[in-house]
Amino acid sequence: MTAWNAGRIPDQHGRTAIVTGANSGIGYVTARELARAGAHVVLACRSAVRGSAAVERLREEVPGAGPEFAALDLGDLASVRAFGDAWGGRPLDLLVNNAGVMALPYGRTADGFETQFGVNHLGHFALTGLLLPSLLETPAPRVVTVSSALHALADIDIGDLNSEKRYRKWTAYGRSKTANLLFVHELSRRAAAAGLPLVAAAAHPGYAATSLQTRGALMEGRKGTERAFQLANRLVAQPPTAGALPTLYAATAPGVRSDDFYGPRVLMWRGAPARSWRAPWTVGDVAGERLWVASEQLTGVDYGSALKV
Protein backbone atom coordinates (compact mmCIF):
# COMPACT_ATOMS: atom_id res chain seq x y z
CA MET A 1 0.00 0.00 0.00
CA THR A 2 1.19 3.51 -0.80
CA ALA A 3 2.46 5.40 2.24
CA TRP A 4 0.03 7.91 3.64
CA ASN A 5 0.38 11.33 2.04
CA ALA A 6 -1.58 14.56 1.71
CA GLY A 7 -3.46 13.18 -1.28
CA ARG A 8 -5.20 10.76 1.10
CA ILE A 9 -6.72 13.43 3.33
CA PRO A 10 -10.48 12.75 3.54
CA ASP A 11 -12.87 15.32 2.12
CA GLN A 12 -12.95 18.34 4.42
CA HIS A 13 -15.78 20.31 2.80
CA GLY A 14 -18.08 21.78 5.42
CA ARG A 15 -15.38 21.74 8.11
CA THR A 16 -13.72 24.78 9.65
CA ALA A 17 -10.14 24.66 10.92
CA ILE A 18 -7.87 27.06 12.79
CA VAL A 19 -4.11 26.58 12.40
CA THR A 20 -1.82 28.63 14.63
CA GLY A 21 1.50 29.80 13.27
CA ALA A 22 0.31 29.11 9.73
CA ASN A 23 2.30 31.78 7.93
CA SER A 24 5.29 29.50 7.25
CA GLY A 25 6.80 26.04 7.63
CA ILE A 26 4.68 23.06 8.59
CA GLY A 27 1.88 25.36 9.77
CA TYR A 28 1.48 26.83 6.31
CA VAL A 29 1.59 23.40 4.66
CA THR A 30 -1.01 22.13 7.13
CA ALA A 31 -3.34 25.03 6.35
CA ARG A 32 -2.81 24.68 2.60
CA GLU A 33 -3.51 20.96 2.47
CA LEU A 34 -6.60 21.28 4.66
CA ALA A 35 -7.86 23.98 2.29
CA ARG A 36 -7.01 21.83 -0.72
CA ALA A 37 -9.20 19.10 0.79
CA GLY A 38 -12.08 21.57 1.10
CA ALA A 39 -11.84 22.95 4.64
CA HIS A 40 -12.41 26.59 5.46
CA VAL A 41 -9.09 27.50 7.09
CA VAL A 42 -8.20 30.34 9.42
CA LEU A 43 -4.50 31.19 9.60
CA ALA A 44 -3.91 32.46 13.13
CA CYS A 45 -0.59 34.32 13.14
CA ARG A 46 1.25 36.89 15.23
CA SER A 47 2.40 39.02 12.28
CA ALA A 48 -0.35 40.63 10.21
CA VAL A 49 2.10 41.21 7.35
CA ARG A 50 3.33 37.62 7.18
CA GLY A 51 -0.10 36.17 7.90
CA SER A 52 -1.82 38.19 5.17
CA ALA A 53 0.94 37.28 2.71
CA ALA A 54 0.43 33.60 3.55
CA VAL A 55 -3.31 33.93 2.89
CA GLU A 56 -2.62 35.44 -0.53
CA ARG A 57 -0.08 32.72 -1.32
CA LEU A 58 -2.55 30.02 -0.29
CA ARG A 59 -5.25 31.51 -2.51
CA GLU A 60 -2.85 31.37 -5.45
CA GLU A 61 -1.83 27.77 -4.73
CA VAL A 62 -5.38 26.54 -4.05
CA PRO A 63 -7.71 28.39 -6.42
CA GLY A 64 -11.20 28.65 -5.01
CA ALA A 65 -10.10 28.42 -1.39
CA GLY A 66 -11.25 31.18 0.94
CA PRO A 67 -8.74 31.25 3.80
CA GLU A 68 -8.86 33.92 6.49
CA PHE A 69 -6.15 35.65 8.46
CA ALA A 70 -6.71 36.28 12.17
CA ALA A 71 -4.29 38.01 14.53
CA LEU A 72 -3.04 35.85 17.40
CA ASP A 73 -0.01 36.35 19.63
CA LEU A 74 0.34 33.29 21.85
CA GLY A 75 2.84 35.16 24.00
CA ASP A 76 0.17 37.63 25.08
CA LEU A 77 -2.93 36.31 26.86
CA ALA A 78 -4.80 39.52 26.03
CA SER A 79 -4.32 38.66 22.35
CA VAL A 80 -5.47 35.08 22.96
CA ARG A 81 -8.61 36.34 24.71
CA ALA A 82 -9.25 38.86 21.93
CA PHE A 83 -9.01 36.04 19.40
CA GLY A 84 -11.53 33.99 21.38
CA ASP A 85 -13.88 36.94 21.68
CA ALA A 86 -13.62 37.69 17.95
CA TRP A 87 -14.40 34.05 17.13
CA GLY A 88 -17.70 34.67 18.82
CA GLY A 89 -18.85 31.10 19.28
CA ARG A 90 -18.73 30.12 15.61
CA PRO A 91 -18.69 26.32 15.24
CA LEU A 92 -15.16 24.92 14.94
CA ASP A 93 -14.33 21.42 13.76
CA LEU A 94 -10.55 21.42 14.08
CA LEU A 95 -7.97 23.35 16.07
CA VAL A 96 -4.32 22.77 15.19
CA ASN A 97 -2.01 24.10 17.92
CA ASN A 98 1.04 24.36 15.69
CA ALA A 99 2.87 27.60 16.50
CA GLY A 100 5.96 27.44 18.64
CA VAL A 101 9.43 28.69 19.46
CA MET A 102 12.57 26.65 20.06
CA ALA A 103 15.76 27.06 22.13
CA LEU A 104 15.54 30.82 22.53
CA PRO A 105 17.65 32.90 24.89
CA TYR A 106 15.88 33.48 28.21
CA GLY A 107 12.94 35.82 27.87
CA ARG A 108 9.45 36.41 29.16
CA THR A 109 6.08 36.74 27.51
CA ALA A 110 3.85 39.78 27.93
CA ASP A 111 2.39 38.09 31.01
CA GLY A 112 5.74 37.26 32.59
CA PHE A 113 6.03 33.58 31.68
CA GLU A 114 9.25 32.03 30.40
CA THR A 115 8.90 32.41 26.64
CA GLN A 116 9.04 28.78 25.52
CA PHE A 117 6.66 27.54 28.21
CA GLY A 118 4.41 30.57 27.75
CA VAL A 119 4.12 30.36 23.96
CA ASN A 120 4.35 26.62 23.34
CA HIS A 121 2.09 25.49 26.17
CA LEU A 122 0.23 28.20 28.07
CA GLY A 123 -0.86 30.16 24.99
CA HIS A 124 -2.30 27.05 23.38
CA PHE A 125 -3.83 25.86 26.65
CA ALA A 126 -5.69 29.16 26.95
CA LEU A 127 -6.69 29.21 23.29
CA THR A 128 -8.09 25.67 23.41
CA GLY A 129 -10.08 26.44 26.54
CA LEU A 130 -11.58 29.58 25.05
CA LEU A 131 -12.53 27.75 21.84
CA LEU A 132 -13.79 24.57 23.53
CA PRO A 133 -17.49 25.62 23.40
CA SER A 134 -17.15 26.21 19.65
CA LEU A 135 -15.48 22.83 19.19
CA LEU A 136 -18.25 21.09 21.09
CA GLU A 137 -20.83 22.64 18.73
CA THR A 138 -19.61 20.28 16.00
CA PRO A 139 -20.20 16.52 15.74
CA ALA A 140 -16.60 15.30 15.48
CA PRO A 141 -14.24 17.96 16.90
CA ARG A 142 -10.49 17.47 17.01
CA VAL A 143 -7.65 19.29 18.69
CA VAL A 144 -4.16 18.51 17.40
CA THR A 145 -1.18 19.85 19.31
CA VAL A 146 2.27 19.83 17.73
CA SER A 147 4.93 18.59 20.15
CA SER A 148 8.44 17.36 19.32
CA ALA A 149 10.60 14.28 19.56
CA LEU A 150 12.78 16.51 21.72
CA HIS A 151 10.20 16.35 24.49
CA ALA A 152 12.46 13.48 25.59
CA LEU A 153 15.05 16.03 26.71
CA ALA A 154 13.18 16.87 29.90
CA ASP A 155 10.16 16.27 32.05
CA ILE A 156 8.37 19.32 33.43
CA ASP A 157 9.33 20.69 36.84
CA ILE A 158 5.96 21.52 38.40
CA GLY A 159 7.73 23.62 41.02
CA ASP A 160 9.65 25.66 38.44
CA LEU A 161 7.46 25.89 35.35
CA ASN A 162 9.07 29.18 34.33
CA SER A 163 12.67 27.94 34.68
CA GLU A 164 13.51 30.58 37.26
CA LYS A 165 15.94 28.41 39.23
CA ARG A 166 18.16 27.68 36.26
CA TYR A 167 17.58 28.32 32.57
CA ARG A 168 18.96 26.02 29.91
CA LYS A 169 17.31 26.71 26.59
CA TRP A 170 17.15 23.11 25.31
CA THR A 171 15.90 21.81 28.65
CA ALA A 172 13.22 24.52 28.66
CA TYR A 173 12.26 23.55 25.14
CA GLY A 174 11.96 19.89 26.10
CA ARG A 175 9.84 20.81 29.09
CA SER A 176 7.49 22.89 26.94
CA LYS A 177 7.06 20.01 24.49
CA THR A 178 6.48 17.57 27.36
CA ALA A 179 3.84 20.03 28.57
CA ASN A 180 2.18 19.79 25.14
CA LEU A 181 1.90 16.02 25.48
CA LEU A 182 0.71 16.14 29.08
CA PHE A 183 -1.93 18.66 28.00
CA VAL A 184 -3.17 16.30 25.27
CA HIS A 185 -3.19 13.40 27.73
CA GLU A 186 -5.18 15.29 30.35
CA LEU A 187 -7.57 16.85 27.81
CA SER A 188 -8.22 13.37 26.43
CA ARG A 189 -8.81 11.96 29.91
CA ARG A 190 -11.22 14.71 30.90
CA ALA A 191 -13.15 14.60 27.62
CA ALA A 192 -13.55 10.82 27.90
CA ALA A 193 -14.73 11.09 31.52
CA ALA A 194 -17.32 13.65 30.46
CA GLY A 195 -18.51 11.51 27.54
CA LEU A 196 -17.59 14.18 24.98
CA PRO A 197 -16.82 13.33 21.33
CA LEU A 198 -13.66 15.43 21.31
CA VAL A 199 -10.50 13.77 19.96
CA ALA A 200 -7.30 15.36 21.27
CA ALA A 201 -4.17 14.06 19.58
CA ALA A 202 -0.55 15.13 19.17
CA ALA A 203 2.00 15.08 16.39
CA HIS A 204 5.62 15.95 15.73
CA PRO A 205 7.41 16.65 12.43
CA GLY A 206 10.65 14.75 13.03
CA TYR A 207 13.46 16.87 11.67
CA ALA A 208 11.84 19.27 9.24
CA ALA A 209 13.57 22.29 7.74
CA THR A 210 11.90 25.39 9.18
CA SER A 211 12.96 28.71 10.66
CA LEU A 212 12.71 27.25 14.17
CA GLN A 213 16.22 25.84 14.07
CA THR A 214 17.96 29.13 13.28
CA ARG A 215 15.91 31.65 15.23
CA GLY A 216 17.63 31.17 18.58
CA ALA A 217 21.13 31.40 17.10
CA LEU A 218 20.09 34.49 15.15
CA MET A 219 18.81 36.17 18.34
CA GLU A 220 22.08 35.39 20.12
CA GLY A 221 24.23 36.55 17.20
CA ARG A 222 25.92 33.14 16.85
CA LYS A 223 26.57 33.15 13.12
CA GLY A 224 28.47 29.84 13.10
CA THR A 225 25.62 27.98 14.78
CA GLU A 226 23.11 29.64 12.49
CA ARG A 227 25.06 28.55 9.41
CA ALA A 228 25.42 25.00 10.80
CA PHE A 229 21.65 24.70 11.22
CA GLN A 230 21.09 26.11 7.75
CA LEU A 231 23.43 23.49 6.30
CA ALA A 232 21.76 20.68 8.27
CA ASN A 233 18.36 21.88 7.05
CA ARG A 234 19.56 21.59 3.47
CA LEU A 235 21.38 18.26 3.76
CA VAL A 236 19.59 16.25 6.44
CA ALA A 237 16.14 17.59 7.24
CA GLN A 238 12.98 16.64 5.39
CA PRO A 239 11.00 19.48 3.78
CA PRO A 240 8.01 21.11 5.49
CA THR A 241 5.67 19.26 3.11
CA ALA A 242 6.83 15.99 4.71
CA GLY A 243 7.10 17.43 8.22
CA ALA A 244 3.43 18.45 8.14
CA LEU A 245 2.17 14.93 7.35
CA PRO A 246 1.94 13.68 10.96
CA THR A 247 -0.11 16.76 11.87
CA LEU A 248 -2.37 16.29 8.87
CA TYR A 249 -2.80 12.61 9.69
CA ALA A 250 -3.72 13.36 13.30
CA ALA A 251 -6.11 16.06 12.11
CA THR A 252 -7.98 14.12 9.44
CA ALA A 253 -7.34 10.38 9.26
CA PRO A 254 -10.06 7.95 10.31
CA GLY A 255 -9.20 5.89 13.36
CA VAL A 256 -7.19 8.53 15.18
CA ARG A 257 -7.81 8.12 18.88
CA SER A 258 -7.58 10.59 21.72
CA ASP A 259 -4.07 10.82 23.18
CA ASP A 260 -2.48 9.33 20.07
CA PHE A 261 0.92 10.75 19.13
CA TYR A 262 2.09 10.65 15.51
CA GLY A 263 5.45 11.32 13.93
CA PRO A 264 7.63 10.19 11.02
CA ARG A 265 7.91 6.41 10.75
CA VAL A 266 11.70 6.13 10.31
CA LEU A 267 13.53 6.69 13.62
CA MET A 268 11.08 9.50 14.50
CA TRP A 269 13.06 11.50 11.94
CA ARG A 270 11.50 11.20 8.50
CA GLY A 271 9.03 9.20 6.44
CA ALA A 272 5.29 8.60 6.43
CA PRO A 273 3.32 9.24 9.64
CA ALA A 274 2.93 6.49 12.23
CA ARG A 275 2.23 6.26 15.93
CA SER A 276 5.29 7.60 17.72
CA TRP A 277 7.18 6.66 20.85
CA ARG A 278 6.70 9.06 23.76
CA ALA A 279 8.42 9.37 27.10
CA PRO A 280 6.60 7.67 29.98
CA TRP A 281 6.33 10.92 31.91
CA THR A 282 3.95 12.30 29.24
CA VAL A 283 1.15 9.86 30.08
CA GLY A 284 0.90 10.30 33.84
CA ASP A 285 -2.55 11.16 35.18
CA VAL A 286 -1.20 12.84 38.29
CA ALA A 287 1.33 14.95 36.37
CA GLY A 288 -1.31 15.83 33.77
CA GLU A 289 -3.78 16.98 36.40
CA ARG A 290 -1.16 19.03 38.27
CA LEU A 291 -0.10 20.78 35.07
CA TRP A 292 -3.75 21.37 34.13
CA VAL A 293 -4.57 22.99 37.47
CA ALA A 294 -1.43 25.15 37.31
CA SER A 295 -2.21 26.17 33.72
CA GLU A 296 -5.75 27.23 34.61
CA GLN A 297 -4.37 29.30 37.48
CA LEU A 298 -1.60 30.90 35.41
CA THR A 299 -3.77 31.74 32.40
CA GLY A 300 -7.05 32.46 34.17
CA VAL A 301 -8.81 30.25 31.63
CA ASP A 302 -11.24 27.82 33.24
CA TYR A 303 -12.40 25.01 30.98
CA GLY A 304 -15.74 24.95 32.79
CA SER A 305 -17.82 22.25 34.40
CA ALA A 306 -17.88 20.08 31.26
CA LEU A 307 -14.29 18.99 31.87
CA LYS A 308 -14.11 18.92 35.64
CA VAL A 309 -12.87 15.68 37.20
Side-chain angles (χ1 to χ4, degrees):
M1 179 181 292
T2 304
W4 197 91
N5 56 54
R8 296 175 62 180
I9 295 174
D11 181 30
Q12 298 294 300
H13 284 89
R15 291 176 64 81
T16 298
I18 294 172
V19 182
T20 68
N23 58 282
S24 65
I26 66 172
Y28 175 78
V29 174
T30 298
R32 183 189 66 198
E33 297 309 317
L34 289 170
R36 200 189 303 277
H40 175 69
V41 181
V42 178
L43 286 71
C45 311
R46 182 171 59 87
S47 166
V49 172
R50 292 191 292 271
S52 298
V55 165
E56 292 306 312
R57 177 185 169 195
L58 197 156
R59 287 174 177 159
E60 292 175 1
E61 295 184 357
V62 187
E68 296 179 51
F69 162 75
L72 174 65
D73 183 350
L74 291 159
D76 185 346
L77 290 177
S79 173
V80 178
R81 288 187 178 278
F83 183 97
D85 289 343
W87 189 255
R90 293 159 55 189
L92 177 63
D93 299 275
L94 171 64
L95 172 62
V96 180
N97 292 323
N98 163 79
V101 293
M102 183 173 78
L104 301 183
Y106 185 80
R108 291 182 179 268
T109 68
D111 305 280
F113 307 125
E114 186 276 312
T115 302
Q116 296 190 81
F117 179 68
V119 171
N120 295 351
H121 170 63
L122 289 177
H124 281 128
F125 178 91
L127 179 67
T128 306
L130 294 169
L131 294 176
L132 184 62
S134 293
L135 286 158
L136 296 180
E137 287 291 317
T138 60
R142 290 195 193 188
V143 175
V144 176
T145 300
V146 178
S147 182
S148 170
L150 294 180
H151 76 273
L153 289 174
D155 191 0
I156 62 166
D157 181 348
I158 196 68
D160 188 28
L161 292 174
N162 286 302
S163 300
E164 293 172 320
K165 295 178 181 176
R166 180 184 181 188
Y167 183 73
R168 291 175 292 180
K169 61 186 178 181
W170 285 107
T171 299
Y173 179 69
R175 287 175 173 173
S176 74
K177 296 287 103 178
T178 283
N180 288 153
L181 287 171
L182 274 175
F183 166 58
V184 168
H185 176 74
E186 185 66 8
L187 179 58
S188 299
R189 188 173 75 91
R190 289 173 178 248
L196 298 174
L198 179 71
V199 170
H204 74 88
Y207 185 7
T210 72
S211 61
L212 273 181
Q213 289 89 354
T214 57
R215 192 169 300 154
L218 180 63
M219 290 176 65
E220 294 175 323
R222 294 184 295 115
K223 295 295 184 182
T225 302
E226 183 184 356
R227 286 193 292 269
F229 274 123
Q230 290 171 341
L231 181 62
N233 281 356
R234 288 197 300 270
L235 298 180
V236 181
Q238 59 181 356
T241 50
L245 290 179
T247 301
L248 288 164
Y249 188 93
T252 67
V256 171
R257 301 171 303 190
S258 244
D259 210 21
D260 277 353
F261 182 37
Y262 294 94
R265 183 181 304 274
V266 181
L267 301 175
M268 299 177 67
W269 186 291
R270 61 192 307 123
R275 284 192 175 88
S276 182
W277 174 87
R278 62 196 287 181
W281 57 74
T282 67
V283 290
D285 291 353
V286 173
E289 183 171 2
R290 293 179 72 188
L291 178 63
W292 185 282
V293 170
S295 300
E296 284 195 329
Q297 292 172 345
L298 290 169
T299 63
V301 174
D302 189 324
Y303 272 61
S305 59
L307 288 181
K308 291 298 182 186
V309 296

